[in-house]
């Protein structure tokens, strides 16, 4: 085990004299706080303040290592497209500094896994290349009939539930799960377990989604980390079985590509393969369910927009889906680390400092979007930053769009009336989150 004193990275503040602006001091604890992510209006207000007063803000929040928060659309793109200069490997997402310290103690590095989002080129490129073709539009399109069949099953289920359901919990949560599990070749019977495991990873800060409720209390990062490790161990066990199976009898699924993948002529390592399954399973599910529910909620709160959608579901679905993904912005951030000094909007970012790419803020940037706080099913153009940009841009974005189009077309061409039947609630998590509950009443 490496010596903690030398293994843990130094605080990412390279200029000791640097201080926070008044805007950053007011907003920085909010933009890392999972509770604020469960209250979208409070989050919007914190980001709007930063965009207005300090768009490249030096932040030193409690319990996290410091970083620059980028809240403007153009700046997020400028940094995201320069993958050599701004890398993922050192710190790809926010994590409590005590938890980071524990990971360093245990692994000698910053990560428990080696997923695409934690890697840089050349390894990132080589691994991404294995499945990239599979996720291109022409290949995803081959799955369209299968996806539409699943969409129909879920809308049938909604109809069968009578006139009321929790759209998020009963429909939006399970539909993308079924799609991604079919693509991975995971049998339907194993889906509840997969759902639980992916939620434990992404919703690890929400008391309803945690493995063990006693683990709440962000002060105790040790317990939180052990909980994530237990979840990962279960994932590993499950996908080790899948790997053996797909090596012995290849099928037409993404697991077969991962299990038999090679890099530089050698089979990919066990940790790389496990990490690959996990990123596809986890990234391919909660993100899409959040934006499917979030988009419906946007429409339910703007009856004029709902009517437009119901009047022409097929004509509207493409733009409505992107608006749902902008509106919800399920992935709240990724991070990059500067490899060289760099100037952005007159601020001097120093080599080794981290940058937080605040996607929900980029998606509300008044300089890019007209009336950014309005949900418009026909918004066009719609330069969403929800899928990121550059070399790490979302691998599954064409799949996510197709899935959402299929379910919106099915739902809105059949439902005659749909309205909110109670107050929605939101997941408490600062990385991937969206609605937790959307009670609706409806007539088919
Ligand atoms: C609305 C749904 C989705 C949203 C908003 C979303 C968002 C994102 C974002 C923001 C990134 C990082 C981009 C960057 O760093 O520049 C990403 C990466 C990724 N996404 Fe998605 N995603 C969605 C759906 C999916 C689906 C359905 C899959 C299924 C395969 C998927 C798989 C991945 C993978 C594997 C990566 C890592 C790519 C890399 O680092 O090279 N995502 N996604």
């Amino acid at each position: 085990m490496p010596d903690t004193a030398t293994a843990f990275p130094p605080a990412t503040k390279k200029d000791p004299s640097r201080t926070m602006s008044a805007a950053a001091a007011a907003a920085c604890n909010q933009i890392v706080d999972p509770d604020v992510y469960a209250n979208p209006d409070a989050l919007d207000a914190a980001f709007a303040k930063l965009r207005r007063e300090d768009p490249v803000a030096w932040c030193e929040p409690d319990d996290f290592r410091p970083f620059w928060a980028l809240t403007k659309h153009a700046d997020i793109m400028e940094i995201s497209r320069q993958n050599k200069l701004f890398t993922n490997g050192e710190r790809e997402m926010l994590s409590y500094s005590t938890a980071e310290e524990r990971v360093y103690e245990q692994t000698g590095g910053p990560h428990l896994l080696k997923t695409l989002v934690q890697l840089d080129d050349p390894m990132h490129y080589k691994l991404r290349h294995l499945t990239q073709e599979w996720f291109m539009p022409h290949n995803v399109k081959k799955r369209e009939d299968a996806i539409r069949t699943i969409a129909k099953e879920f809308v049938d289920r909604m109809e069968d539930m009578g006139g009321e359901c929790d759209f998020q919990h009963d429909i939006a949560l399970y539909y993308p799960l079924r799609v991604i599990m079919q693509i991975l070749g995971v049998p339907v019977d194993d889906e509840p377990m997969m759902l639980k495991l992916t939620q434990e990873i992404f919703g690890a800060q929400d008391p309803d989604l945690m493995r063990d409720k006693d683990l709440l209390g962000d002060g105790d990062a040790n317990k939180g980390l052990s909980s994530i490790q237990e979840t990962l161990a279960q994932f590993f066990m499950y996908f080790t079985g899948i790997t053996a199976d797909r090596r012995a009898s290849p099928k037409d699924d993404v697991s077969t590509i991962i299990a038999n993948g090679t890099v530089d002529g050698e089979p990919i390592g066990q940790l790389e393969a496990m990490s690959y399954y996990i990123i596809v399973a986890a990234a391919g599910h909660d993100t899409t369910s959040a934006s499917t529910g979030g988009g419906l909620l946007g429409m339910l709160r703007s009856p004029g927009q709902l009517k437009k959608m119901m009047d022409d579901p097929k004509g509207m679905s493409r733009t409505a889906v992107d608006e749902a993904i902008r509106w919800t912005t399920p992935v709240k951030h990724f991070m990059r680390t500067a490899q060289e000094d760099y100037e952005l909007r007159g601020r001097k970012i120093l080599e080794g400092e981290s940058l937080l790419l605040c996607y929900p803020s980029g998606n509300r940037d008044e300089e890019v979007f007209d009336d950014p706080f309005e949900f418009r099913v026909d918004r066009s153009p719609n330069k969403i930053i929800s899928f990121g940009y550059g070399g790490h841009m979302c691998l599954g974005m064409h799949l996510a769009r197709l899935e959402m189009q299929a379910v919106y077309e099915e739902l809105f061409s059949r439902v005659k009336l749909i309205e909110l039947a109670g107050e929605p609630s939101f997941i408490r998590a600062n990385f991937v989150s969206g609605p937790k509950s959307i009670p609706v009443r409806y007539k088919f």
Side-chain angles (χ1 to χ4, degrees):
M1 187 181 291
D3 173 0
T4 322
T6 54
F8 187 58
T12 37
K13 181 176 180 173
K14 301 291 174 176
D15 173 1
S17 68
R18 188 182 288 128
T19 53
M20 285 193 281
S21 67
C28 78
N29 279 319
Q30 293 183 290
I31 66 170
V32 297
D33 183 351
D35 281 332
V36 176
Y37 285 81
N39 179 354
D41 291 342
L43 186 69
D44 276 343
F47 280 137
K49 186 172 178 65
L50 286 176
R51 276 198 308 280
R52 243 182 354 254
E53 297 175 25
D54 192 3
V56 178
W58 178 250
C59 291
E60 296 180 23
D62 303 336
D63 305 326
F64 293 86
R65 286 189 295 139
F67 53 80
W68 293 95
L70 310 192
T71 47
K72 295 289 286 178
H73 190 281
D75 297 345
I76 296 172
M77 287 184 72
E78 178 172 334
I79 299 308
S80 300
R81 71 172 155 248
Q82 303 184 69
N83 297 104
K84 272 208 173 87
L85 219 52
F86 296 99
T87 51
N88 284 44
E90 297 88 342
R91 188 186 188 191
E92 86 290 358
M93 64 179 279
L94 283 173
S95 180
Y96 291 100
S97 38
T98 42
E100 289 184 317
E101 202 163 344
R102 274 288 306 279
V103 172
Y104 260 85
E105 276 171 35
Q106 291 188 13
T107 66
H111 307 303
L112 293 172
L113 291 170
K114 278 194 189 175
T115 68
L116 292 181
V117 293
Q118 295 160 326
L119 293 169
D120 294 303
D121 292 346
M123 198 42 151
H124 165 258
Y125 175 81
K126 289 175 183 174
L127 284 175
R128 183 172 166 125
H129 189 70
L130 293 177
T131 59
Q132 175 139 312
E133 183 61 18
W134 203 96
F135 285 104
M136 294 307 275
H138 59 280
N139 277 327
V140 167
K141 193 114 183 84
K142 292 182 192 156
R143 291 265 159 178
E144 182 167 351
D145 288 349
I147 291 172
R148 287 194 184 275
T149 304
I150 302 175
K152 184 173 177 315
E153 270 169 36
F154 276 84
V155 177
D156 288 349
R157 178 190 291 188
M158 191 171 161
E159 188 172 358
D160 292 345
M161 288 174 88
E164 278 196 33
C165 75
D166 182 334
F167 184 81
Q168 189 63 35
H169 187 266
D170 299 326
I171 308 298
L173 195 58
Y174 294 97
Y175 164 63
L177 181 75
R178 172 73 46 86
V179 173
I180 198 71
M181 291 303 145
Q182 199 179 70
I183 279 168
L184 277 171
V186 169
V188 175
D189 288 350
D190 296 338
E191 282 178 12
M193 189 252 306
M194 280 288 142
L195 174 68
K196 202 167 154 289
L197 297 182
T198 53
Q199 286 191 328
E200 282 168 4
I201 289 191
F202 279 160
Q205 295 154 325
D206 191 292
D208 292 338
L209 306 178
M210 306 179 79
R211 166 181 285 275
D212 176 352
K213 288 190 185 22
D214 293 342
L215 299 177
L216 193 67
D218 305 318
D220 197 345
N222 286 349
K223 282 187 176 174
L225 183 65
S226 313
S227 163
I228 296 264
Q229 282 174 315
E230 278 173 41
T231 304
L232 292 180
Q234 282 196 19
F235 260 120
F236 269 50
M237 233 159 58
Y238 185 81
F239 282 113
T240 300
I242 293 260
T243 302
D245 179 74
R246 297 307 192 275
R247 283 184 180 159
S249 40
K251 297 197 167 85
D252 174 26
D253 59 28
V254 169
S255 294
T256 299
I257 303 179
I258 299 172
N260 296 288
T262 57
V263 163
D264 299 333
E266 296 291 325
I268 61 173
Q270 152 96 342
L271 182 59
E272 283 81 357
M274 292 303 135
S275 302
Y276 220 134
Y277 295 119
I278 291 174
I279 186 92
V280 172
H285 160 235
D286 279 4
T287 50
T288 314
S289 53
S291 43
T292 301
L296 177 71
L297 184 56
M299 291 180 234
L300 295 174
R301 284 177 164 167
S302 310
Q305 300 300 312
L306 178 64
K307 181 168 181 329
K308 267 191 194 174
M309 186 72 198
M310 289 174 71
D311 286 349
D312 183 13
K314 286 211 162 42
M316 256 339 129
S317 68
R318 228 181 59 79
T319 50
V321 159
D322 270 18
E323 182 67 341
I325 297 170
R326 180 188 77 88
W327 186 252
T328 318
T329 318
V331 178
K332 307 303 179 190
H333 70 265
F334 267 105
M335 298 187 85
R336 300 289 190 265
T337 300
Q339 298 302 313
E340 286 174 18
D341 296 356
Y342 192 84
E343 189 166 318
L344 187 65
R345 278 185 205 267
R347 305 300 301 265
K348 297 244 175 336
I349 293 158
L350 299 180
E351 179 191 341
E353 288 179 335
S354 335
L355 301 95
L356 184 77
L357 309 173
C358 303
Y359 301 126
S361 178
N363 274 335
R364 300 282 189 276
D365 189 339
E366 299 77 358
E367 277 190 277
V368 177
F369 300 97
D370 295 336
D371 301 321
F373 293 93
E374 279 180 21
F375 187 97
R376 292 186 186 162
V377 286
D378 52 359
R379 189 181 287 277
S380 176
N382 195 351
K383 297 184 177 154
I384 56 173
I385 191 73
S386 318
F387 291 120
Y389 197 62
H392 288 275
M393 192 168 185
C394 179
L395 185 69
M397 64 183 177
H398 307 297
L399 173 66
R401 283 181 165 130
L402 177 62
E403 264 178 87
M404 288 179 63
Q405 257 182 272
V407 78
Y408 279 179
E409 286 176 19
E410 185 71 27
L411 173 65
F412 292 111
S413 59
R414 287 169 55 184
V415 77
K416 302 281 178 298
L417 175 151
I418 179 161
E419 60 188 13
L420 272 176
E423 264 309 296
S425 66
F426 296 85
I427 292 172
R428 180 186 183 274
N430 65 14
F431 181 43
V432 174
S433 57
K436 182 153 74 175
S437 162
I438 310 178
V440 286
R441 83 173 64 83
Y442 48 86
K443 279 201 183 94
F444 274 85

